[in-house]
Amino acid sequence: MYTTLFWIIIAIVVFDFAFEKVLDYLNFKNMSPTLPKALKGIYNEEKYAKSQEYEKVTSRFGLISSSFSFLLILIILFTGGFGLLDEWVRGITENIYFRTLLFFGVLGIVFDFLSLPFQLYSTFIIEELFGFNKTTAGTFVLDKLKGWGIGAVIGGGIISFILWAWLSTGNWFWLIVFGGLSAFMIFMTMFYSRLIVPLFNKQTPLEDGELKTAIETFAQKTGFQLDNIFVIDGSKRSTKANAYFSGLGPKKR
């Protein structure tokens, strides 16, 4: 017998999926290969048409992959999959921290493996079709392993912190978690490019020249204090990305 709380959870999951798909449909409906008048003379018409076609293909594929995830969640909920997993981890260890980490770890790995065919198709079929893909099989596997490692360290740390706060701080739980997670997000915003990016990409300082001068001039005009400009080897995975700003305060780059 399903409880009222169960049906509330189901309703939230269904509403979230339906609302997101409605927004996606509205965006998809308004896509057009015709270059807007405001962009004529600024953006290449052929490239714009290609970008719109790319968005349509990725939107259709996104509908398939998100529908799969949605149905998977419903199946797990209705079959009691989360409860079965909880019983299994309880039989392995009585330590609440290890039990919680094992629960979410297994859940994350299972979901990632089930979504692997979609990741492979997106990278090696769709991206390849539009000439964007530069990722090799070796890079894909290595990135996946690194992602799991980072997820285990950061995700495990966050889960452990939340669990500790819940068990130890009583009524202050919500405030301590809010403060801790806020501090962590600020820290990651400041140091992401120094701590995480080097695990996946090589960053080298941009040499003095016309490009560096133009970037610095633009940053000054917009009031964006910028002391560090780097070149990243992002093209070893894709030809899409070109430039981005990262950091906060004195750690902007």
Side-chain angles (χ1 to χ4, degrees):
M1 180 67 68
Y2 299 121
T3 65
T4 302
L5 178 60
F6 174 83
W7 288 113
I8 291 175
I9 293 174
I10 293 296
I12 292 173
V13 171
V14 172
F15 175 80
D16 179 70
F17 176 78
F19 183 70
E20 182 180 335
K21 293 308 115 184
V22 169
L23 294 180
D24 289 342
Y25 170 74
L26 293 175
N27 287 330
F28 185 86
K29 185 179 179 181
N30 287 282
M31 290 181 186
S32 171
T34 304
L35 185 69
K37 292 182 180 180
L39 295 178
K40 287 187 176 180
I42 300 176
Y43 198 82
N44 181 277
E45 293 189 25
E46 184 178 343
K47 288 184 177 180
Y48 181 81
K50 182 180 179 181
S51 71
Q52 292 296 288
E53 181 61 26
Y54 174 77
E55 287 297 327
K56 286 185 177 181
V57 172
T58 54
S59 294
R60 293 191 190 100
F61 182 70
L63 174 62
I64 296 173
S65 60
S66 61
S67 297
F68 172 80
S69 299
F70 170 68
L71 292 175
L72 182 61
I73 289 291
L74 289 183
I75 290 172
I76 293 175
L77 286 171
F78 278 104
T79 59
F82 292 117
L84 293 175
L85 177 59
D86 181 62
E87 290 180 9
W88 179 73
V89 298
R90 286 176 183 273
I92 293 178
T93 176
E94 295 182 357
N95 185 288
I96 190 171
Y97 287 96
F98 291 154
R99 198 165 66 216
T100 304
L101 292 174
L102 183 59
F103 178 89
F104 284 104
V106 170
L107 204 61
I109 291 176
V110 169
F111 270 91
D112 197 47
F113 267 110
L114 291 175
S115 67
L116 188 58
F118 297 99
Q119 298 173 34
L120 291 170
Y121 188 87
S122 175
T123 300
F124 296 104
I125 301 297
I126 295 179
E127 297 296 305
E128 190 73 32
L129 177 65
F130 286 89
F132 295 138
N133 181 52
K134 288 294 185 70
T135 302
T136 64
T139 300
F140 183 88
V141 172
L142 190 59
D143 284 351
K144 181 65 65 177
L145 294 175
K146 290 178 181 178
W148 285 346
I150 294 172
V153 173
I154 296 180
I158 291 175
I159 291 172
S160 298
F161 167 70
I162 294 175
L163 183 58
W164 166 82
W166 178 61
L167 294 173
S168 307
T169 60
N171 293 333
W172 291 97
F173 160 74
W174 67 273
L175 186 60
I176 291 175
V177 169
F178 173 78
L181 293 183
S182 297
F184 174 75
M185 287 188 287
I186 293 173
F187 174 83
M188 288 304 298
T189 301
M190 294 180 66
F191 295 100
Y192 171 79
S193 58
R194 289 178 177 269
L195 300 177
I196 305 299
V197 173
L199 298 176
F200 296 90
N201 295 96
K202 181 180 179 181
Q203 300 176 107
T204 54
L206 179 63
E207 297 180 355
D208 293 335
E210 184 179 348
L211 177 59
K212 184 175 182 179
T213 301
I215 295 174
E216 290 175 337
T217 301
F218 177 75
Q220 290 176 357
K221 287 182 179 179
T222 58
F224 190 90
Q225 183 180 349
L226 186 64
D227 298 320
N228 302 300
I229 304 175
F230 293 86
V231 177
I232 187 172
D233 60 341
S235 58
K236 73 178 183 180
R237 292 181 180 82
S238 174
T239 60
K240 286 190 299 184
N242 43 38
Y244 69 93
F245 291 103
S246 178
L248 185 68
K251 300 302 179 181
K252 293 176 183 176
R253 56 166 63 188

